[in-house]
Amino acid sequence: MSMNSYPSVRGCCHRYRPLPLQFTFSGQEALPPARSHPRRQTLVYATGPQDAKPEYTEIDSQPLNTIVYGLFRRKMVAALQNRDSSEEGYQGIIDLTRRLNALGSPRDTQVLTRRILNSLFPGWLPPAFKIMFARPLPTLSYRLNAFATWLTCQWLMGECEINDVEIDGGEIGQGHGVLVRRCRYLEESGCVGVCINSCKIPTQEFFEKDMGLPLTMEPNYETFECQFSFGKTPLPKEQDEAFQSPCFTQCPTSSTDTSTQCPRIAAIFEE
């Protein structure tokens, strides 16, 4: 797939008619309480694909995906003080994610999610990889991590493909990218705040700070595609259009007051 074949996130959040929210959600147990923030005017939009969701039975039944799912769930439960969800399968992951996002501030969620990602590996592995691979062999490291993401994360994100992407310096990195065709995690959570605080920011920080690799993740809120680009430094949040998306009408954690912006996004700029 060429660099120009996947849709851009640019402008995708401004094509929809404002609709009233229909959902409320009561948060679970909290860590440090989230700071209050000024209420702001915004628009709330329906977004994402309008056709039926993909069928994931085949992906979920693959032995490797079953193993990785079980490991990921155990680490999430441990991070939430060993309080598991009563939901089975993938909906249990979404329920745990919503609890995670109810804890403290967005930054608390980001830090805890990055801690979960680190806990998936032996403690020595990320720093060793940074020294032995990322620094002396960056090109190989980008390709290895793109392949590992494609291999182990399709149960979480849905079908993916490895592709060529633009990296730092304007070069095209062959096999440095992973294109998520329709993000299962985003679609099932229905929340831009979950996407930013439980996926994009902590995953980018994990690869940059713990594995020694720059990574940019570019979600498209119109199609629910997401482009991973290993070897590309993320833009500052003030310049990243993913942070400019209004709330989704399908978000179960949004306020019913359509005149206010989701505090989980607004608070990122105020922490």
Side-chain angles (χ1 to χ4, degrees):
M1 176 173 290
S2 68
M3 277 293 298
N4 295 324
S5 61
Y6 71 91
S8 169
V9 71
R10 185 176 300 279
C12 69
C13 302
H14 305 286
R15 301 178 183 175
Y16 298 97
R17 175 171 54 89
L19 296 172
L21 285 171
Q22 299 295 326
F23 303 96
T24 59
F25 174 78
S26 178
Q28 303 289 331
E29 64 278 1
L31 289 174
R35 295 193 295 269
S36 60
H37 301 282
R39 298 169 72 83
R40 301 177 174 184
Q41 286 193 334
T42 190
L43 295 177
V44 184
Y45 289 91
T47 191
Q50 301 303 304
D51 57 336
K53 296 178 182 178
E55 174 58 53
Y56 295 105
T57 303
E58 182 177 353
I59 289 178
D60 289 343
S61 63
Q62 294 175 10
L64 178 60
N65 290 338
T66 301
I67 293 171
V68 177
Y69 158 80
L71 174 64
F72 192 79
R73 180 161 183 159
R74 289 194 298 273
K75 297 303 183 180
M76 291 187 76
V77 171
L80 292 168
Q81 301 176 344
N82 294 316
R83 298 180 181 180
D84 201 351
S85 170
S86 61
E87 298 282 351
E88 297 291 335
Y90 197 84
Q91 286 307 309
I93 296 293
I94 296 301
D95 183 42
L96 293 170
T97 297
R98 288 174 180 156
R99 296 188 194 183
L100 186 66
N101 277 265
L103 300 178
S105 69
R107 188 58 189 162
D108 292 328
T109 300
Q110 296 160 19
V111 169
L112 191 54
T113 302
R114 179 180 163 196
R115 191 178 304 161
I116 291 170
L117 293 176
N118 267 291
S119 72
L120 298 172
F121 304 92
W124 56 265
L125 195 151
F129 184 90
K130 182 189 297 187
I131 295 171
M132 299 175 64
F133 287 91
R135 291 175 182 170
L137 301 168
T139 298
L140 175 62
S141 299
Y142 301 151
R143 290 174 179 165
L144 282 174
N145 280 272
F147 176 77
T149 300
W150 170 84
L151 181 66
T152 63
C153 295
Q154 296 197 46
W155 70 271
L156 179 64
M157 304 184 298
E159 289 189 2
C160 305
E161 63 184 70
I162 295 174
N163 63 352
D164 302 337
V165 290
E166 183 177 332
I167 61 175
D168 289 347
E171 301 178 10
I172 300 300
Q174 296 184 348
H176 291 196
V178 178
L179 177 63
V180 181
R181 295 174 180 171
R182 179 167 171 169
C183 184
R184 183 184 190 182
Y185 191 66
L186 175 58
E187 186 161 22
E188 292 296 335
S189 68
C191 179
V192 66
V194 166
C195 173
I196 296 294
N197 295 315
S198 293
C199 189
K200 177 177 166 65
I201 291 178
T203 303
Q204 290 179 166
E205 290 185 350
F206 166 73
F207 278 102
E208 178 184 4
K209 297 180 180 180
D210 301 313
M211 300 289 283
L213 303 173
L215 167 68
T216 292
M217 298 168 62
E218 299 172 273
N220 184 316
Y221 295 132
E222 182 179 278
T223 65
F224 285 175
E225 288 185 344
C226 186
Q227 179 66 59
F228 285 59
S229 299
F230 289 94
K232 183 177 181 180
T233 302
L235 291 170
K237 61 180 180 291
E238 293 80 6
Q239 301 175 26
D240 190 333
E241 293 187 3
F243 291 83
Q244 307 307 317
S245 172
C247 291
F248 299 165
T249 55
Q250 62 264 46
C251 176
T253 61
S254 295
S255 167
T256 55
D257 183 353
T258 59
S259 67
T260 62
Q261 184 180 17
C262 171
R264 304 297 291 183
I265 298 298
I268 294 174
F269 292 89
E270 299 175 1
E271 290 183 317

